[in-house]
Amino acid sequence: MAGSSADRGRAGSNRAALHAIDAIEPLKLRTGTPVWLGDGARGMSAAPLRADLKVDVAVIGGGISGALATDALLQAGLSVAVFDRLGFVRGSTPASTAMLQFEIDQPLITLGRRIGHARAARAWWRSASGVTRLRSRIADLGLRCDFRERHTAYLPGNLLDLAGLRSEAAARERIGLRSNLIDRHALMSLTGIDKPGAIWSAGSAEVNPVKLARGLWRSAAKRGAMLHAPVEIIDVAPGERWVTLTTDADCSISAGHVVLATGYSLTKLFKLPGYRIISTWAMATAPQPKALWPSRCLIWEASDPYLYCRTTRDGRVLAGGEDAAFEDDARRDALIATKVARIGRTLRGLLPQLDIAPAFAWAGCFGESASGLPAIGQVPGAPRCYAVMGFGGNGITFSAIAAEMIQRAILGLPDPDTDLFRLA
Ligand SMILES: Cc1cc2nc3c(=O)[nH]c(=O)nc-3n(C[C@H](O)[C@H](O)[C@H](O)COP(=O)(O)OP(=O)(O)OC[C@H]3O[C@@H](n4cnc5c(N)ncnc54)[C@H](O)[C@@H]3O)c2cc1C
């Protein structure tokens, strides 16, 4: 089945917006074995697509963004079919260190100077409510994904020194965010780190991203979502009432709406100004529960590039950073040993009691925007097509925001933050 001939005619005129999805060289999203895949857990099963299909919403992408969007669309009573060219939870999501932070990469005071203080406050608040939304969906669906609420410690660095952190903490407190400046003594007793102070915040969390995404997909399948893989969408043609998608096996899908949750491949489709793909590295140590810092908070630095670290349920330390502004995956992969050694040394500089030998090491790519904000919303020139892109260090939090915004857009409901994240 497909759209009407009027739809097909209209589709032709709109092809410039989204055509030739197949001409895009797929990005190698990650290399090495992320800690979450180390237990040999079985992957998600999904069926290939053998016939044409008609559905309310087609979601392209089987990662965390697609999973959260699908969950929200099912909640709205819509029929949903999902397609992934690799398989479900096989892209960037398993590479994630999955710190669920409300803190955006750009400090509130910096973002305020860039986009205005009222808009920056809205972005930070929306991010905080993104983490809250994730927590409540995980609880509502009863997902067992090692979710734990955590504080964060934001350490001084080359972007903000202690005086800068003081201004940042004051700006956050003024708009009611749960952050305050702590001194050297408090930081030492919470983390064992010897620095002059830090911003201490409540309201963040950690999770196992593979268990979370697989749990969401299993729940979606039980609630009627049609999951298809491996299926590559090679063409998206928006029409007046239907969007027509073509697959690599030449099936045709007619959808009332399309959600592009294709992760960092998307920036290759839409060359948005200010967005770029960068490379990043991460490692996990062996379990060492006795050596961990007392609060087990999430730790990151006001630096560029920054180091970040967290603990896992089984007592490992996960650390990442060393980001570099290139997307050449061969170069990125050749650097795994060097970059991970550097991450380990920086980690030991902060927490000398740790055994920093990597039990897992991996590399991935990251989408980054100049403002640190995501791009979520209707694709310009492509009615009924929505995209989720431009994620920085808190991509999963942004995926949760995107799910809510795209659900509202498809239902024709207003969202107060459409202007903040629009694709433009
Ligand atoms: C090392 C690392 C550490 C990170 N740490 C954090 C962190 O601590 N906290 C945080 O919030 N975020 C973090 N992130 C970012 C976070 O992991 C990502 O934002 C998130 O996983 C992106 O999910 P996604 O679903 O958008 O993309 P993906 O998981 O990549 O899923 C997209 C899917 O779309 C499919 N696809 C693409 N094109 C097509 C097509 N044409 N047809 C069919 N399928 C297609 C791909 O096969 C892929 O499976 C980290 C990322 C990395 C790499």
Side-chain angles (χ1 to χ4, degrees):
M1 276 183 282
S4 66
S5 54
D7 285 337
R8 284 173 177 275
R10 169 80 188 223
S13 67
N14 270 330
R15 267 171 190 248
L18 285 173
H19 81 125
I21 200 168
D22 55 335
I24 308 302
E25 181 67 22
L27 200 61
K28 197 171 155 203
L29 295 169
R30 62 182 163 84
T31 323
T33 307
V35 62
W36 320 113
L37 299 178
D39 59 2
R42 269 190 321 118
M44 291 281 311
S45 57
L49 185 68
R50 298 195 201 284
D52 292 355
L53 196 67
K54 194 166 188 174
V55 71
D56 290 335
V57 189
V59 174
I60 312 175
I64 190 66
S65 303
L68 288 164
T70 299
D71 175 58
L73 296 165
L74 292 171
Q75 278 187 295
L78 297 162
S79 62
V80 185
V82 192
F83 309 93
D84 198 297
R85 65 175 161 214
L86 296 175
F88 283 72
V89 199
R90 300 275 296 274
S92 299
T93 299
S96 184
T97 45
M99 298 177 21
L100 305 180
Q101 285 177 261
F102 75 80
E103 295 166 285
I104 296 172
D105 285 351
Q106 288 266 336
L108 178 59
I109 49 177
T110 315
L111 189 61
R113 282 195 290 270
R114 182 184 275 272
I115 66 168
H117 294 287
R119 283 161 64 81
R122 270 201 289 136
W124 271 69
W125 260 111
R126 189 66 190 249
S127 187
S129 67
V131 179
T132 306
R133 180 188 153 79
L134 256 175
R135 183 181 50 216
S136 42
R137 277 317 277 160
I138 289 168
D140 289 351
L141 297 170
L143 302 180
R144 295 169 65 175
C145 54
D146 302 342
F147 177 91
R148 294 277 180 286
E149 297 214 23
R150 294 288 186 211
H151 282 81
T152 59
Y154 187 41
L155 307 176
N158 63 11
L159 286 183
L160 296 177
D161 58 11
L162 192 64
L165 286 188
R166 186 171 292 114
S167 309
E168 172 70 7
R172 293 190 197 179
E173 282 181 271
R174 268 198 302 279
I175 63 165
L177 290 167
R178 299 160 72 195
S179 296
N180 63 291
L181 193 76
I182 55 172
D183 63 11
R184 184 184 291 271
H185 177 74
L187 179 65
M188 175 59 83
S189 67
L190 289 161
T191 64
I193 293 174
D194 187 18
K195 293 254 179 193
I199 294 181
W200 183 249
S201 303
S204 290
E206 69 189 27
V207 76
N208 175 325
V210 170
K211 286 187 182 173
L212 171 61
R214 286 182 183 161
L216 284 164
W217 285 126
R218 283 194 198 99
S219 160
K222 276 192 204 138
R223 290 181 286 149
M226 295 163 268
L227 310 188
H228 294 288
V231 176
E232 178 157 13
I233 302 300
I234 58 167
D235 193 60
V236 178
E240 209 162 276
R241 291 177 44 228
W242 296 96
V243 185
T244 306
L245 289 78
T246 310
T247 74
D248 53 348
D250 219 19
C251 291
S252 170
I253 301 143
S254 299
H257 298 267
V258 171
V259 178
L260 293 135
T262 51
Y264 303 134
S265 313
L266 196 57
T267 42
K268 297 230 172 195
L269 279 176
F270 310 102
K271 287 285 179 197
L272 289 184
Y275 284 83
R276 60 180 185 164
I277 302 284
I278 63 167
S279 295
T280 189
W281 292 265
M283 59 166 271
T285 67
Q288 46 184 323
K290 293 206 171 105
L292 302 178
W293 51 101
S295 62
R296 295 185 63 162
C297 65
L298 314 179
I299 297 170
W300 66 307
E301 297 176 306
S303 286
D304 186 18
Y306 62 80
L307 174 91
Y308 59 89
C309 61
R310 54 162 281 193
T311 60
T312 61
R313 190 178 167 209
D314 59 353
R316 300 173 193 272
V317 178
L318 271 185
E322 283 289 323
D323 300 359
F326 65 82
E327 61 174 287
D328 171 349
D329 45 36
R331 192 173 152 204
R332 177 191 79 199
D333 300 346
L335 282 169
I336 293 180
T338 313
K339 291 285 193 176
V340 163
R342 252 190 243 159
I343 290 170
R345 281 198 298 276
T346 316
L347 185 62
R348 191 159 49 198
L350 287 178
L351 296 155
Q353 79 280 12
L354 293 179
D355 171 1
I356 50 136
F360 295 89
W362 65 98
C365 58
F366 231 64
E368 207 182 53
S369 68
S371 63
L373 299 181
I376 302 166
Q378 202 209 298
V379 178
R384 303 176 165 273
C385 297
Y386 300 88
V388 179
M389 71 175 291
F391 301 125
N394 32 358
I396 298 177
T397 304
F398 291 152
S399 302
I401 298 173
E404 198 171 49
M405 293 183 73
I406 287 171
Q407 182 211 52
R408 285 182 191 163
I410 288 177
L411 292 176
L413 300 172
D415 186 287
D417 298 323
T418 307
D419 63 312
L420 274 180
F421 305 124
R422 80 168 80 245
L423 278 76

